[in-house]
């Protein structure tokens, strides 16, 4: 039997423990026989061993049979799909040779790892179900997950099937961590060698430039073999130049001189085509630079022509102004946004902006200090669906009105049809959630559909806290309805009964159902209900959906991509939010001083003709209110930037009285100057590199005299290609040198804002950029056999051949494993039981007779057999004493009587005895009559003792 101890250091207690037992045995003053002393000492030693073994964590290693094998399948882009299928077949074929006690599990990995199934005796892998990212290869993560997923018992073995092109994590470290857990690692190399590969390693540009500064666009290329290639250079998506170059085997460097005369954002794109290159995914690189000039303002307008008055006023204030429409702005990247010092949104609806664009605006203001000014109109703020969007987060006003503000509510009914496109019902849920999130608590919403019958998912009712409606939408599964007539009738009747001021119906379909009658649509419009139709993936002519929208006074959308749907329904939900608009003349009320209105009195302001009702957020400043107390001008600091909300407009509609106001230009100039990015541009020498899924920011800080600047408080805000922001702190690595790292798992451009803090205040910033041009899966042209070989050596395994089933992972290096079982509890119990026995042996003495009586009793009780009764033996000591007493009495009776001393005793007068007639008084034969009673009295104690002895014997017999 194999044993082990979890805390063997406690075994040292045996030395003082045994010494104490020996000392006690020698010095003990208890007088017992030698054999009892030896037995007691032995028990004490056993008790001591049990207690010490329990404290030391004694375990019994129970032998086990069986091996647990985890197959790790590489599903990254660098492994061809054909070899991925070969790996799956290898799992099925090799698992057939395992023994009955063996188990097998499968884990797939790429940029992350997923468990296909845990180790079990039955292995059948017809298809890989687990989904993992394929843009990276994280072998270390797969090994760690497999190590954690092994069963507690049995031999543990990992079979790694990969090309070894690790580009994230540390596989060697993961193998070293698994080795103490008795995990061995076998390796099955896969992958293909791509000869003659040409790849772009890096496109280097300065991050910031001055106007007219000449610089070089540097191109770093890698070639497996010498060959001719064509290099093409693009700037802002416009072709600049191309050249034929000769690539040598290894690294190559080329440069294009450039000069930029105008300020602004510039992106450069480089492409290389090799004559014998077969992998185009790694032939492109992108980077950008920025030429800083005078402050620049971007106006994003739903109607650019109507905003020319505002643009002219800002240009007269010596600001660079650019106007774009909403569609153009939706294509802007974060790098393009941060090149502007302030962005105006003039009457822009949230439904017209992509959700990604709104998130980028939030990041531009918060992380890069870009100013934001939102102007009102019938498509902005609450009326434009800003509720629960990133725009509401950035702006200093809230789209939910306070409880004191009572506005007419709106009612919206969605007619939902299961369309014939992939994941159609999930898109139906997404659009319902988008519409629900845009509505206020006092607005009404209902959804009608067909799922075998025409019915309400939930009837038209106030939105409230949205939880119950959200729960119903989660379980929504619309069917393929036959006709529009019944469902639209249900929606029409409910909206007609509603007391809401604005009523709207949206029909979502692919155009297949039978159309309603024109009379029905006319009746809907006659009840002041507007009707919008959304046709997605339609495979019929859109005529029906078009005339329904035209006759219903709404809009028609012919959608070809489901990604557009949530924004469309946010825009349509905003139709019923027009009740937040107040279109009546009012005089703006100046209630507080502010930099934005310095030198402008409230009495000077002309009346405005309308605004959108909002609520002020707690930290915001509101220098101008309406006559009803609603904010007209509000502003606040948001992150590194500033945001302003003007709930009226600057156009000829609501602000027509302001266009001729002498201080119109001054007002908007002061608003813009306050919102402009005010941060000083830090003058650091910076460099950003990306390698193995990690970016490194390196900063060299020098003052004007060239001396090192030490102990600076530097941090960086990093925004990923998905718009996710994170902050890292730079650490000083040497004189004037600082460094920080950040993850780069996504392909695309990373924008970095380097921030310097002085005495707790923001001092300066510098915008940097880095680009992951393609997945690092395409950076290597052949499998990394050296890494795979090293993994097998450290892991104590072998290199197997995927094409040879004879390489069976279940046969090599099999060994018996053991399962530890804790014994401390049993040892403690036995020590507790033995301790009283030790005390009994030293303190209790039992003679032979009592032992024989005990054994006889035990036989009678346990064996139900008494045996032959033994004669009861008299107590020899008591009998000897009684016999001696009788001898003494007999001698005393035969001797002459002793006269009593009269002085001590009173005389005894014997009763008078009459002598019978005829007898002589002196005759010797005549005895006194009192002799018999005296004799009887003398024998009375002996009889009493006999009776007691007899009673004792009877009790003993019982």
């Amino acid at each position: 039997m194999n044993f082990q101890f979890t805390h063997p250091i406690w075994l040292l207690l045996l030395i003082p423990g045994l010494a104490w037992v020996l000392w006690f045995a020698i010095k003990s003053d208890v007088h017992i026989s030698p054999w009892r002393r030896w037995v007691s000492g032995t028990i004490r030693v056993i008790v001591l061993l049990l207690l010490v073994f329990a404290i030391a964590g004694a375990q019994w290693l129970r032998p086990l049979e069986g091996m647990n094998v985890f197959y790790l399948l590489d599903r990254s882009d660098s492994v061809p799909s054909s070899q991925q299928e070969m790996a799956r077949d290898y799992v099925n074929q090799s698992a057939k040779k395992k023994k009955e006690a063996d188990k097998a599990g499968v884990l797939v990995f790429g940029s992350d790892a997923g468990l296909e199934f845990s180790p079990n005796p039955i292995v059948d892998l017809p298809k890989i179900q687990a989904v993992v990212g394929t843009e990276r290869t994280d072998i270390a993560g797969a090994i760690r997950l497999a190590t954690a997923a092994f069963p507690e018992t049995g031999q543990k073995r990992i079979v790694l099937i990969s090309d070894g092109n690790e580009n994230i994590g540390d596989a060697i470290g993961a193998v070293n961590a698994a080795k103490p857990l008795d995990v061995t690692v076998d390796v099955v190399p896969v992958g293909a060698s791509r000869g003659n590969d040409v790849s772009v390693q890096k496109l280097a540009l300065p991050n910031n430039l001055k106007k007219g500064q000449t610089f070089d666009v540097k191109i770093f290329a890698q070639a497996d073999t010498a060959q001719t290639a064509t290099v093409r250079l693009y700037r802002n998506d416009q072709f600049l130049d191309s050249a034929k170059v000769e690539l040598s085997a290894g690294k190559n460097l080329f440069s294009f001189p450039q000069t930029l005369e105008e300020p602004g954002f510039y992106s450069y794109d480089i492409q290389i085509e090799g004559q014998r290159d077969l992998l185009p995914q790694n032939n492109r690189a992108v980077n950008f630079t920025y030429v800083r000039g005078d402050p620049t303002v971007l106006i994003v307008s739903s109607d650019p022509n109507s905003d020319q008055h505002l643009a002219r006023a800002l240009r007269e204030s010596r600001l660079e102004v650019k106007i774009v429409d909403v569609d153009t702005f939706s294509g802007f990247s974060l790098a393009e946004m941060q090149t502007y010092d302030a962005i105006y949104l003039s009457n822009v609806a949230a439904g017209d902006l992509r959700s990604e664009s709104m998130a980028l605006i939030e990041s531009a203001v918060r992380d890069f200090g870009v100013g934001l000014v939102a102007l009102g109109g019938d498509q902005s703020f609450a009326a434009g669906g800003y509720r629960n969007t990133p725009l509401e987060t950035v702006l200093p006003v809230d789209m939910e009105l306070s409880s004191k503000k009572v506005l007419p509510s709106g009612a919206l009914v969605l007619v939902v049809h299961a369309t014939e496109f992939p994941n159609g019902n999930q898109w139906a849920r997404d659009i319902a959630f988008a519409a629900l999130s845009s509505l206020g608590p006092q607005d009404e919403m209902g959804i009608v559909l067909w799922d075998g019958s025409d019915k309400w998912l939930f009837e038209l009712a106030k939105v409230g806290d949205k939880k119950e409606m959200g729960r119903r939408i989660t379980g929504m599964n619309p069917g393929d309805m036959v006709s529009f007539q019944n469902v639209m009738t249900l929606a029409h009747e409910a909206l007609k009964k509603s007391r809401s001021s604005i009523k709207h119906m949206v029909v979502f379909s692919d155009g297949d159902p039978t159309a309603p009658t024109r009379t029905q649509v006319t009746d809907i419009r006659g009840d002041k209900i507007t009707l919008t139709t959304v046709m997605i993936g339609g495979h019929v002519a859109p005529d029906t959906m078009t005339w329904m929208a035209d006759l219903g006074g709404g809009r028609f959308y012919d959608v070809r991509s489901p990604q557009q749907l949530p924004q469309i329904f946010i825009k349509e939900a905003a139709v019923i939010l027009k009740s937040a608009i107040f279109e009546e003349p009012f005089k703006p009320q100046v209630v507080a001083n502010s930099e934005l209105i310095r030198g402008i009195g409230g009495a000077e302001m002309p009346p405005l003709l309308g605004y959108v009702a909002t609520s002020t957020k707690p930290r915001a400043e509101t220098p101008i209110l309406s006559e009803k107390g609603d904010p007209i001008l509000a502003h606040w600091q948001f992150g590194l930037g500033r945001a302003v909300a003007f709930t009226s407009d600057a156009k000829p509609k609501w602000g027509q009285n302001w266009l001729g106001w002498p201080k119109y230009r001054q007002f908007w100039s002061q608003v813009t100057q306050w919102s402009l990015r005010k941060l000083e541009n830090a003058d650091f020498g910076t460099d950003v590199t990306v390698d193995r899924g990690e970016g490194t920011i390196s900063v060299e800080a020098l003052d004007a005299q060239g001396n090192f600047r030490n102990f600076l408080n530097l941090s960086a805000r990093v925004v990923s290609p998905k718009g996710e922001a994170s902050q890292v702190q730079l650490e000083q690595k040497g004189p004037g040198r600082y460094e920080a790292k950040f993850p780069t798992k996504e392909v695309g451009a990373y924008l970095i804002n380097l921030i310097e803090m002085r005495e707790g205040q923001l001092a300066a910033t510098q915008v940097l950029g880095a680009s992951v041009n393609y997945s690092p899966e395409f950076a290597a042209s052949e499998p990394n056999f050296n890494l795979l070989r090293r993994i097998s050596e450290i892991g104590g395994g072998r290199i197997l051949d995927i094409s040879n089933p004879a390489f069976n992972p279940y046969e090599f290096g099999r060994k018996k494993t053991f399962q530890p079982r804790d014994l401390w509890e049993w040892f403690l119990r036995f020590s507790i039981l033995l301790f009283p026995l030790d005390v009994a042996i030293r303190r209790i003495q039992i003679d032979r007779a009592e032992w024989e009586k005990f054994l006889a009793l035990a036989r009678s009780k346990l064996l139900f057999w008494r045996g032959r009764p033994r004669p009861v033996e008299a107590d020899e000591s008591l009998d000897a004493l009684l016999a001696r007493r009788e001898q003494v009495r007999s001698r005393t009776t035969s001797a002459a009587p002793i006269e009593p001393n009269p002085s001590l005793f009173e005389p005894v007068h014997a009763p008078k005895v009459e002598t019978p007639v005829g007898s002589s008084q002196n005759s010797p034969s005549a005895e006194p009559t009192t002799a018999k009673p005296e004799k009887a009295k003398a024998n009375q104690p002996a009889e009493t003792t006999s009776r007691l002895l007899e009673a004792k014997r009877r009790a003993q017999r019982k």
Side-chain angles (χ1 to χ4, degrees), residues 532-709:
T532 288
T533 58
V534 181
M535 182 173 180
I536 178 169
H539 43 271
V540 297
D543 298 343
T544 299
M545 305 288 283
T546 302
W547 71 255
M548 287 170 57
D550 292 340
L551 194 58
R555 288 173 285 197
F556 165 69
Y557 298 92
D558 189 3
V559 180
R560 295 299 172 180
S561 172
Q563 283 80 7
Q564 304 172 13
L565 286 174
Q567 293 305 112
I568 289 175
F569 277 82
I570 289 175
K571 188 172 183 177
E572 288 305 310
V575 171
I576 70 170
L577 302 175
K578 305 303 180 184
S579 56
I581 298 174
F582 284 89
E583 284 194 293
E584 56 186 23
F586 69 95
K587 182 73 173 177
Q589 307 293 317
V590 175
V591 296
N593 293 323
S594 172
E595 295 181 37
L596 283 71
I597 57 172
R598 183 182 294 115
I600 302 175
E604 303 177 72
M605 293 183 179
L608 293 167
L609 303 182
Y611 69 95
V612 183
T614 58
S615 297
T616 307
K617 291 182 179 179
R619 290 192 303 105
E621 298 182 44
T622 54
I624 303 178
L625 300 177
S626 71
E627 294 174 343
K628 297 181 179 180
D630 295 324
I632 298 300
L633 178 65
H635 58 88
W636 71 348
Q637 184 82 28
F638 182 76
L640 298 180
R642 294 173 173 181
V644 180
F646 187 75
T647 57
S648 186
D649 66 13
K651 301 180 180 182
K653 184 177 182 180
W654 292 343
Q656 62 180 348
N657 295 328
W658 281 40
L659 298 182
W661 180 33
K663 292 191 176 183
Y664 177 81
R665 180 180 62 81
Q666 179 185 349
F667 176 82
W668 289 114
S669 175
Q670 291 180 182
V671 169
T672 306
Q673 291 293 340
W674 183 86
S675 63
L676 288 176
R677 177 166 37 196
K678 296 295 192 300
L679 302 177
E680 177 187 351
N681 189 31
D683 189 14
F684 294 129
T686 58
D687 185 35
V688 182
T689 59
V690 177
D691 184 38
R692 297 178 63 83
E694 189 175 57
T696 302
I697 306 171
S698 299
V699 175
E700 186 177 14
L702 301 173
D703 59 17
Q705 290 74 33
N707 299 319
F708 293 116
R709 297 177 60 193

Side-chain angles (χ1 to χ4, degrees), residues 64-70 101-106 115 117-121 145-158 181-183 817-820:
L64 295 174
E65 293 292 339
M67 176 184 290
N68 301 301
V69 175
F70 243 126
D102 298 337
K103 297 179 181 180
V106 175
L115 195 63
F117 59 82
S118 301
N120 61 79
L145 179 58
T147 302
F150 271 118
E152 294 184 3
T153 60
Q155 189 176 350
K156 303 172 184 178
R157 171 163 291 170
I158 290 176
L181 301 176
D182 295 329
V183 177
T817 58
F818 302 90
Q819 179 184 11

Side-chain angles (χ1 to χ4, degrees), residues 231-459:
V231 181
R232 295 183 176 89
L233 180 65
Y234 296 82
R235 184 177 66 200
N236 293 345
D237 296 328
Q238 294 182 353
F239 175 74
L240 289 183
D241 194 8
S242 66
K244 290 281 186 180
V245 296
E246 294 295 330
L247 298 175
S248 59
K251 295 182 179 180
N252 298 266
L253 173 62
F254 306 98
S255 63
F256 288 84
Q258 291 284 295
T259 302
L260 299 174
E261 299 293 346
E262 296 295 328
F265 167 84
Y266 295 90
S267 65
Y268 282 86
D269 185 351
I270 191 72
Q271 297 178 7
I272 295 182
E273 293 181 5
Q275 288 182 339
R276 298 189 298 272
D277 185 19
L278 301 177
L279 189 67
Q281 289 91 337
N282 57 7
N283 293 353
R284 182 181 177 185
V286 179
N287 206 339
F288 57 87
T289 187
Y290 176 65
V291 179
R292 182 166 293 276
D294 296 331
T296 306
V297 177
L298 177 68
I299 299 178
V300 183
S301 176
S302 59
D303 184 7
N305 292 328
S306 63
D307 281 306
Q308 293 299 328
H309 298 85
L310 175 62
R312 185 163 49 251
L314 296 180
R315 290 191 181 104
E316 291 174 356
S317 301
R318 297 181 180 179
L319 294 171
E320 294 287 338
V321 179
K322 182 179 180 181
I323 301 179
V324 297
D325 57 19
V326 179
D327 293 336
T328 302
F329 179 74
S330 295
F332 274 36
S333 66
L334 180 60
E336 291 174 280
M337 290 183 190
Q338 69 85 30
T339 61
Y340 298 96
D341 296 285
I343 298 175
Y344 272 76
L345 296 179
S346 180
N347 195 26
V348 175
D352 291 331
L353 290 172
R354 295 184 301 114
S355 57
E356 294 83 357
S357 296
M358 290 188 284
L360 292 180
I361 291 174
E362 179 185 6
S363 178
V365 178
R366 181 192 61 217
D367 303 322
F368 296 91
V370 177
L372 176 66
V373 181
L375 304 181
D378 59 354
Q379 299 184 63
S380 63
F381 296 108
Y386 285 14
R387 184 181 285 116
N388 296 325
T389 66
L391 290 179
E392 184 182 31
T393 304
V394 177
L395 292 175
V397 291
D398 200 333
M399 306 308 132
E400 300 287 355
L401 299 183
S402 64
S403 58
K404 297 181 181 180
K405 301 291 183 181
V406 179
L407 294 178
S409 61
L412 173 67
V413 174
L414 301 182
V415 178
V416 182
H417 174 206
T419 55
E420 299 176 5
F421 62 92
N423 209 18
N425 281 354
Q426 182 57 46
W427 281 110
R429 300 184 195 102
D430 290 342
I431 63 176
F433 274 119
L436 178 63
S437 64
S438 300
L439 301 181
Q442 299 302 318
D443 297 318
E444 295 180 333
M445 181 176 175
I447 296 180
V448 65
L449 49 79
W450 185 91
D451 63 353
S453 62
D454 301 314
K455 60 188 292 187
W456 288 93
L457 177 67
F458 53 83
E459 295 188 7

Side-chain angles (χ1 to χ4, degrees), residues 476-518:
M476 180 175 69
N477 284 299
D480 190 5
M481 69 175 65
V482 179
S483 172
F484 284 130
Q485 293 183 5
N486 292 334
V487 290
M488 291 180 65
T489 300
L490 292 174
H492 179 202
E493 292 176 352
L495 288 170
K496 185 167 61 174
K497 296 177 182 178
S498 174
R499 296 183 179 180
S500 299
S501 59
I502 300 177
K503 305 173 184 180
H504 190 50
M505 183 190 307
V506 181
V507 177
F508 170 77
S509 175
D510 57 8
D512 280 349
T514 302
T517 64
R518 291 184 176 269

